[in-house]
Amino acid sequence: MESAASRTLEPADLIARLEAIVGDANVLTDARDMESFLREPRDLFHGKAICVVRAGSTAEVAAILELCHQTATPVVPQGGNTGLVGGQIPDARGDALVLWLGRMQALREIDLSSNTMTVEAGMTLAHAQEAAERAGRRFPLSLASEGSCTIGGNLATNAGGTGVIAYGNARDLVTGLEVVLADGRILSDLSKLKKDNTGYDLKHLFMGSEGTLGVITAAVLKLYPKPRAIATAFVGLASPQSALALLDLARDMAGGEITSFELIPRIGLDFVLKHAQGVRDVLAGRHAWHVLLELSSQRAEGLEGRLLELLAAGAEKGIVEDAAVAASQGQREAFWKLRELLSEVQRLEGGSIKHDISVPVADVPTFVEEAERAVSAAIPGARPVPFGHLGDGNIHFNVSQPIGADKAAFLARWDEINAIVHAIVTAHRGSISAEHGIGQLKRHLLPNVKDKVALEVMRALKHTLDPKGILNPGKML
């Protein structure tokens, strides 16, 4: 593979040609102007770049990539800069440009007969949700960062979120893509079709590829009917095993009406109550574990009654210890706030070693028990905070430092604790990256957990689509 560092243009000449494509105001070269594009949210990665280029159209992205391909200039695509594995941040060499897609926010079309909308990659997830809402539909992808993360980034990382149990990951919410390839060619496949067997389904190559195979510039997203009723419960339970039993019961009694099933440990709830303003405990007593359960229905009447029947059945079986059902939209939002703040408040308890894993749903309770025991044996006093999407087996097994411990010394054991937790994940035939991706953070782990032949196929695809290795170098592979 030709080195991506062997540019044929000096930086000043490259910048001048980029300015001719997007305009002087959309090429940032001042260090202060670029700073926010070069650090990620947890400040684990801080890179350098020749410049930040703010593209405003697919044609501009194509011209930029054609130029970078000709000059072997590395390109790091970026949307809302909310990724948690460093996939959107350049490395420290300073020979790359950051291609920011935030200007590309157009809603190109809504087709209610096809239940689709076509949006550009720089549109935020929140704005996509609002556009669907205005049209009387629902776009169900939901993430804590939805106010700033972008559709392009969601698709490039195959984002998950709280609605996967009902709607699937981001890749399941797309019928077509527009992608600019490394050499500037535009792959235009903005299809609305549910059925199309005319060859390889190429869109799935680019979703989850983290910008290493092409730059997504637009997508056709699936829309769903707006629910006429939503019922939300905050449930107290004794254990993850009880939570799994409640999930099984909910599937029997509510089936396709389950739209969220989130597992919350007592320690995580205590962190939220300690550090967040305007929140309170929902239940009167203390419970070791909690579930945030939400049902949605197209029937306007009866959903809350069905939820109450489910909870009563759970109590009768000894699964549910206590529960509260939201009586208003305000109470529903208060329940969700307790879940959404879980990640944010952990930093206020000192160092936190993160894991974004998935195991088969039936294995979640055993995994949590084994991982908590192994981590506590390695670091006495460490405080595991496992939470997340029990309905699809995705658990964020975060570990907060022991009370009073030295933060730097604790975080220095990141790789050691990752190895312990990931070994348990592997034993359960799980994944070390459920929804956050690989990026820079987990790149070195991939050869140990990915099938050898699968990696060979991935590298072959990378070489075919990006022979000069200019697209997001140093990420994933």
Side-chain angles (χ1 to χ4, degrees):
M1 183 178 291
E2 182 177 339
S3 171
S6 59
R7 293 193 311 275
T8 58
L9 283 181
E10 292 298 318
D13 296 328
L14 178 68
I15 289 168
R17 291 183 62 177
L18 291 168
E19 289 174 342
I21 296 170
V22 299
D24 296 5
N26 290 310
V27 180
L28 308 181
T29 57
D30 182 82
R32 289 170 298 182
D33 294 337
M34 291 196 293
E35 180 63 20
S36 64
F37 299 90
L38 302 178
R39 289 182 182 271
E40 50 83 57
R42 297 200 299 229
D43 209 25
L44 294 177
F45 299 98
H46 184 201
K48 297 180 180 179
I50 299 169
C51 60
V52 175
V53 185
R54 305 188 299 187
S57 67
T58 300
E60 288 183 359
V61 173
I64 292 164
L65 288 185
E66 181 180 11
L67 172 62
C68 291
H69 180 75
Q70 292 170 353
T71 59
T73 302
V75 178
V76 179
Q78 189 179 108
N81 193 13
T82 60
L84 298 175
V85 293
Q88 74 280 22
I89 302 297
D91 60 27
R93 292 182 311 205
D95 63 345
L97 63 84
V98 173
L99 176 58
W100 186 67
L101 301 174
R103 292 176 60 215
M104 298 180 60
Q105 302 178 16
L107 171 62
R108 294 188 183 176
E109 182 191 38
I110 288 186
D111 182 345
L112 296 183
S113 296
S114 296
N115 270 321
T116 62
M117 66 178 179
T118 304
V119 306
E120 292 186 338
M123 178 181 285
T124 66
L125 175 54
H127 285 157
Q129 293 167 341
E130 291 163 6
E133 180 80 14
R134 289 193 298 271
R137 296 291 192 270
R138 183 184 197 186
F139 181 60
L141 185 64
S142 182
L143 310 171
S145 60
E146 58 196 29
S148 51
C149 66
T150 63
I151 293 298
N154 297 153
L155 301 184
T157 58
N158 187 30
T162 58
V164 172
I165 187 173
Y167 301 103
N169 291 310
R171 70 165 67 247
D172 300 308
L173 301 173
V174 174
T175 64
L177 289 181
E178 177 184 84
V179 182
V180 180
L181 302 182
D183 59 5
R185 288 178 296 162
I186 299 172
L187 173 61
S188 184
D189 186 22
L190 292 173
S191 171
K192 305 174 189 177
L193 301 177
K194 290 182 179 293
K195 294 181 176 180
D196 182 0
N197 280 332
T198 56
Y200 303 137
D201 193 348
L202 297 177
K203 64 179 180 290
H204 286 290
L205 281 178
F206 301 99
M207 291 185 287
S209 70
E210 301 182 24
T212 61
L213 299 180
V215 177
I216 296 171
T217 51
V220 183
L221 306 178
K222 296 179 184 178
L223 300 180
Y224 293 81
K226 288 173 59 178
R228 291 183 172 85
I230 298 175
T232 309
F234 200 82
V235 186
L237 315 103
S239 67
Q241 189 63 53
S242 295
L244 180 61
L246 179 61
L247 175 61
D248 290 339
L249 183 64
R251 284 174 168 154
D252 286 342
M253 296 184 66
E257 292 181 330
I258 306 169
T259 45
S260 293
F261 199 98
E262 297 292 298
L263 183 66
I264 302 171
R266 182 72 226 185
I267 187 173
L269 183 58
D270 285 342
F271 285 178
V272 173
L273 296 173
K274 176 181 177 181
H275 295 292
Q277 300 294 319
V279 297
R280 63 179 183 84
D281 206 341
V282 173
L283 304 177
R286 288 179 64 84
H287 304 273
W289 292 85
H290 300 83
V291 160
L292 179 57
L293 166 62
E294 191 157 272
L295 307 182
S296 302
S297 176
Q298 295 308 112
R299 289 189 287 169
E301 304 296 332
L303 185 64
E304 183 174 318
R306 293 194 293 280
L307 177 58
L308 289 170
E309 289 175 7
L310 165 61
L311 296 172
E316 184 177 341
K317 292 176 179 294
I319 298 169
V320 172
E321 295 181 339
D322 194 9
V325 175
S328 66
Q329 178 63 19
Q331 287 187 353
R332 175 177 178 259
E333 291 172 358
F335 289 4
W336 273 104
K337 190 172 184 181
L338 295 173
R339 164 63 181 89
E340 290 164 352
L341 290 172
L342 279 172
S343 294
E344 180 181 331
V345 297
Q346 286 175 54
R347 63 181 175 82
L348 301 175
E349 288 289 324
S352 179
I353 297 175
K354 313 288 188 180
H355 306 86
D356 164 44
I357 67 89
S358 64
V359 295
V361 173
D363 289 14
V364 169
T366 305
F367 161 76
V368 169
E369 179 184 353
E370 292 174 352
E372 286 187 333
R373 185 168 59 244
V375 166
S376 296
I379 304 181
R383 297 173 291 167
V385 188
F387 69 97
H389 321 302
L390 177 60
D392 55 68
N394 175 197
I395 299 298
H396 301 292
F397 191 87
N398 297 346
V399 183
S400 288
Q401 69 179 59
I403 295 173
D406 179 81
K407 179 178 179 180
F410 174 75
L411 292 178
R413 301 183 69 176
W414 187 294
D415 288 344
E416 174 193 350
I417 299 304
N418 275 183
I420 291 171
V421 173
H422 291 160
I424 299 170
V425 171
T426 301
H428 286 276
R429 300 183 66 83
S431 170
I432 66 165
S433 180
E435 63 179 359
H436 292 166
I438 297 299
Q440 300 180 61
L441 184 66
K442 298 182 181 181
R443 180 189 176 200
H444 67 291
L445 301 175
L446 207 56
N448 298 323
V449 298
K450 197 74 174 175
D451 176 74
K452 179 182 177 182
V453 174
L455 280 174
E456 290 173 353
V457 173
M458 289 169 64
R459 292 190 181 101
L461 288 168
K462 171 69 171 174
H463 181 71
T464 298
L465 292 173
D466 182 20
K468 295 186 177 182
I470 66 167
L471 288 178
N472 220 4
K475 317 298 166 51
M476 191 176 293
L477 294 173

